[in-house]
Amino acid sequence: MDKPVNVVTSKALEIGYGKTTVAKNINFSVAAGELCAIVGINGIGKSTLLRTLGHLQPKISGEIWQDAEQIEALKPEALARKISVVLTEPLASKNLSVAELIGLGRQPYTNWIGSLTEKDKQHVQASMAALELTGLKERKCHELSDGQLQRALIARAMAQDTPTILLDEPTSHLDLHHKVQILKLLKELADNHHKTIVFTTHEIDLAIQLCDKILVLNGKSNPFGKPHELIAQGAFDAIFPSETIQFDAQSGSFRIRK
Amino acid sequence: MSTSKTAYGFEFGLLILVLLSSFLLSVSLGSVSIPFSDTIKILVGGTVENTSWRYILMDYRLPKAFTAILVGGGLAVSGLVMQTLFRNPLAGPFVLGISSGASLGAAMLLMGSALFTRYIFMETANDISMSVAASLGSFLVLSIVVTMANKVRDTMTLLIIGLMFGSITAALVSVLAYFSDAAQLQRFIFWSFGSVGSLSWSQVGVLACTVAAGLVCAVLAIKSLNALLMGELYAKSLGVPLKKFKTLIIVATGLLAGGITAFAGPIAFVGLAVPHLTRQLITTMDHRILIPAVFLYGAILMLLCDTVSQLPNSAKVLPINAITSLIGAPVVIWLLVRKRKLLF
């Protein structure tokens, strides 16, 4: 079977709000089957970048490509079939059931009133099964734990059946066990379902162990590459002020400077 | 979103049954006591000895009952779509100042004539111009509130803004009242008490068309409303054309809340409370289920409120606003206290 190529690329991208630049000179390219983390200190523009990549807010300059097309050229519905998102903003209604939430992921494919066809229902079932949510499908979102809710949101993105999935801090508010669970799940989605997955995170050491590519936002050159290449370049050394934390290239983790 | 297995057949059956009973109750009770058997006889087209009974029933109680159904159902649906649009469980046509906007429109038409063009307006202050004026008033306030809602995301701030709009329109209305003559003022004051009675069949027809147009807009927006349950950014990521959708909802609410307020006066709490009451019965958030359910529930509540306000077998009529507030406000308090927070 031919594997889909789907590549997400940014060239000389500058992001921000109106005339205020948050970050610029962002260049990267992530292919199908690759898991890519965006890391950097608070306020450097990780979430802004993620929302810009999903065309949820306008870029300032530069280019964002989804395969051979620039995302601005795609109609909203066409874009919704290419890119799905998991955001940090809380759900407006926590009264949605897990099944309803995941069903909403099918909207780009449903008719004017949003009826689910058999095919849509199969996608919903498959996403629920993949994220082990079948037993929770009648639960309301406000009854879920943080980890369960995050899984439900990822299942919703999966039901949207897009080649690209963007996730904003999918591991925040979770304990180490659930952080690793979610990250391994993303890795599996990239490997087995051949998705292009880009997510922002503060778990740099976990990202180094699991991700195929990492984009380091540092406010200047924004290095991008495979984790071991970045370690060799010393890209992680300057993420945090050196008087508090030091990167240990040997173990690929951060140490508190005593 | 139809992954929930139950189609809520039982709940809908129950609502329709209660609606029919409330309808019969509403037409069989009133200031003149008509035996129930005769009421039924007249309704199915039979003849009764007392011909004035037939007149009372066909030309007063029936249009009143239909008005109550349109008013209750329409306001409840407008409340529901506003709660989803603003992602705010306390939104409703009354709370957000939309009814006040309609009041201002009506007041300008009824009393503004004294200030400006006495001759042109007084002649044309008929049903349609009243409906148009009130709808325009609510469109105006609604558009301003929607613009502000984009700037302030906070629930409380938005409600306070709505409250302030209520105050501004109340002030403008009292300025208008100061300059208008007694007859005009009286007409406005009676209108502001709220009433579903005293509409002719042709007026009921105009109201029905306005409400139907508003409901069509709401139904067209169902898919986007469901997407908006997740939040605006998620809705955008699903390909929802947000601007088009917001316009559609503003038109829907303007027609529903504006048109209804024009004919029945500013009626409090139905729009806010009924969606929450309905959610006690129906647990899905799917607007395909909620819109018809909320309409039925609102119609039932309005029929019952109207029956109570008529004080059966007496000639006195209480302002319907008093009844809806007496029922609606405690319901909201009860929901807040018992459920801690209003989920929507």
Side-chain angles (χ1 to χ4, degrees):
Chain A
M1 199 184 99
D2 278 347
K3 284 181 173 168
V5 210
N6 189 57
V7 184
V8 178
T9 312
S10 87
K11 286 178 191 162
L13 181 64
E14 181 180 359
I15 55 169
Y17 301 85
K19 287 197 173 132
T20 319
T21 301
V22 173
K24 60 183 175 184
N25 194 22
I26 301 166
N27 299 283
F28 71 89
S29 183
V30 189
E34 286 186 331
L35 179 63
C36 171
I38 301 171
V39 302
I41 199 165
N42 279 335
I44 197 82
K46 296 189 296 295
S47 296
T48 311
L49 174 59
L50 201 93
R51 284 196 294 269
T52 313
L53 292 177
H55 201 34
L56 299 175
Q57 72 177 70
K59 67 187 179 193
I60 293 181
S61 66
E63 296 164 15
I64 304 168
W65 294 80
Q66 169 80 36
D67 278 334
E69 285 168 300
Q70 290 209 47
I71 58 168
E72 291 81 8
L74 290 164
K75 291 208 172 79
E77 195 127 298
L79 191 68
R81 293 179 186 207
K82 293 267 189 196
I83 301 174
S84 56
V85 295
V86 173
L87 303 168
T88 40
E89 67 163 23
L91 287 173
S93 170
K94 291 270 170 61
N95 217 5
L96 282 164
S97 74
V98 171
E100 285 176 334
L101 177 70
I102 299 173
L104 282 173
R106 298 302 299 168
Q107 275 220 347
Y109 307 91
T110 55
N111 61 2
W112 69 277
I113 204 166
S115 310
L116 298 184
T117 61
E118 276 311 311
K119 190 177 166 230
D120 293 321
K121 285 178 190 161
Q122 278 168 17
H123 272 283
V124 172
Q125 296 294 343
S127 312
M128 256 190 294
L131 289 136
E132 292 164 21
L133 289 162
T134 313
L136 298 171
K137 65 178 182 182
E138 296 303 328
R139 289 273 189 94
K140 299 281 187 188
C141 286
H142 65 89
E143 296 168 338
L144 300 178
S145 70
D146 286 340
Q148 290 168 336
L149 182 61
Q150 200 57 254
R151 262 160 48 210
L153 288 168
I154 295 172
R156 189 210 62 83
M158 213 181 137
Q160 204 173 328
D161 195 25
T162 54
T164 303
I165 303 179
L166 306 175
L167 305 97
D168 197 4
E169 296 196 27
T171 54
S172 57
H173 308 301
L174 300 180
D175 59 37
L176 189 61
H177 166 71
H178 287 98
K179 276 185 206 269
V180 173
Q181 190 190 36
I182 295 284
L183 290 180
K184 283 177 88 170
L185 205 125
L186 294 179
K187 178 73 181 152
E188 197 191 292
L189 275 179
D191 285 346
N192 301 345
H193 296 261
H194 225 66
K195 306 268 187 199
T196 309
I197 299 183
V198 180
F199 69 104
T200 63
T201 187
H202 285 292
E203 315 307 325
I204 302 175
D205 32 3
L206 295 180
I208 289 172
Q209 294 178 53
L210 264 174
C211 292
D212 302 298
K213 299 276 175 66
I214 295 179
L215 171 67
V216 183
L217 292 185
N218 59 10
K220 291 187 287 283
S221 58
N222 304 321
F224 169 77
K226 292 178 179 159
H228 65 88
E229 295 169 355
L230 291 170
I231 293 174
Q233 290 169 21
F236 298 109
D237 301 344
I239 292 184
F240 301 115
S242 57
E243 62 265 25
T244 52
I245 298 170
Q246 197 177 22
F247 185 72
D248 177 24
Q250 217 83 59
S251 63
S253 61
F254 288 88
R255 293 286 146 85
I256 298 171
R257 181 163 271 190
K258 286 173 189 148
Chain B
M1 194 140 157
S2 66
T3 31
S4 44
K5 291 217 175 53
T6 50
Y8 294 97
F10 170 75
E11 284 82 355
F12 274 106
L14 186 73
L15 281 172
I16 289 169
L17 204 68
V18 177
L19 179 67
L20 287 176
S21 324
S22 322
F23 182 80
L24 284 179
L25 188 72
S26 166
V27 292
S28 59
L29 293 176
S31 52
V32 176
S33 163
I34 303 175
F36 190 68
S37 59
D38 287 329
T39 309
I40 299 292
K41 212 183 262 176
I42 297 169
L43 283 181
V44 296
T47 46
V48 287
E49 296 149 40
N50 194 334
T51 48
S52 66
W53 287 356
R54 186 184 169 76
Y55 172 77
I56 290 171
L57 212 62
M58 299 308 284
D59 287 325
Y60 182 69
R61 289 190 192 172
L62 264 189
K64 184 163 70 77
F66 279 115
T67 310
I69 289 173
L70 291 168
V71 166
L75 283 178
V77 171
S78 83
L80 174 72
V81 299
M82 286 172 86
Q83 287 172 10
T84 305
L85 175 66
F86 291 109
R87 279 143 285 150
N88 187 331
L90 288 175
F94 203 79
V95 185
L96 286 180
I98 284 78
S99 299
S100 317
S103 296
L104 184 63
M108 295 273 257
L109 188 73
L110 287 178
M111 306 188 295
S113 48
L115 273 180
F116 309 107
T117 45
R118 176 177 293 269
Y119 303 101
I120 304 165
F121 275 124
M122 277 320 282
E123 299 309 314
T124 53
N126 57 19
D127 320 332
I128 306 222
S129 60
M130 186 75 172
S131 182
V132 169
S135 291
L136 283 179
S138 39
F139 277 131
L140 181 73
V141 174
L142 193 57
S143 313
I144 299 172
V145 173
V146 167
T147 318
M148 300 225 166
N150 285 337
K151 294 197 175 132
V152 291
R153 303 238 146 210
D154 181 43
T155 305
M156 289 315 289
T157 318
L158 193 64
L159 294 181
I160 293 168
I161 290 174
L163 209 65
M164 290 305 119
F165 268 109
S167 304
I168 294 170
T169 48
L172 289 174
V173 166
S174 54
V175 169
L176 283 171
Y178 184 79
F179 287 105
S180 61
D181 62 43
Q184 289 169 327
L185 188 59
Q186 194 187 34
R187 198 173 156 197
F188 179 77
I189 296 226
F190 274 119
W191 173 83
S192 69
F193 281 156
S195 160
V196 293
S198 72
L199 261 70
S200 70
W201 275 114
S202 67
Q203 285 171 314
V204 174
V206 175
L207 177 62
C209 291
T210 318
V211 170
L215 288 177
V216 167
C217 292
V219 167
L220 286 176
I222 282 180
K223 188 174 170 180
S224 308
L225 283 168
N226 282 339
L228 214 74
L229 289 172
M230 293 193 297
E232 218 162 274
L233 283 180
Y234 276 115
K236 203 175 171 194
S237 82
L238 283 169
V240 172
L242 279 176
K243 266 190 186 152
K244 207 175 111 194
F245 158 75
K246 277 186 184 170
T247 315
L248 198 60
I249 292 294
I250 291 172
V251 172
T253 340
L255 284 171
L256 288 170
I260 288 166
T261 310
F263 284 102
I267 288 175
F269 283 106
V270 175
L272 167 60
V274 171
H276 292 293
L277 287 169
T278 311
R279 288 187 196 110
Q280 306 296 307
L281 181 72
I282 285 174
T283 50
T284 184
M285 291 302 289
D286 190 343
H287 287 80
R288 286 181 300 168
I289 307 279
L290 274 181
I291 286 183
V294 159
F295 185 90
L296 290 172
Y297 211 128
I300 292 168
L301 192 76
M302 206 63 206
L303 278 170
L304 294 179
C305 282
D306 179 55
T307 310
V308 174
S309 79
Q310 290 294 320
L311 296 174
N313 298 331
S314 91
K316 292 205 167 57
V317 179
L318 297 174
I320 198 141
N321 241 333
I323 310 291
T324 54
S325 301
L326 279 174
I327 294 171
V331 161
V332 174
I333 294 171
W334 169 72
L335 284 169
L336 279 168
V337 172
R338 218 200 83 198
K339 301 260 160 189
R340 292 297 156 81
K341 53 184 175 189
L342 289 169
L343 288 164
F344 87 107

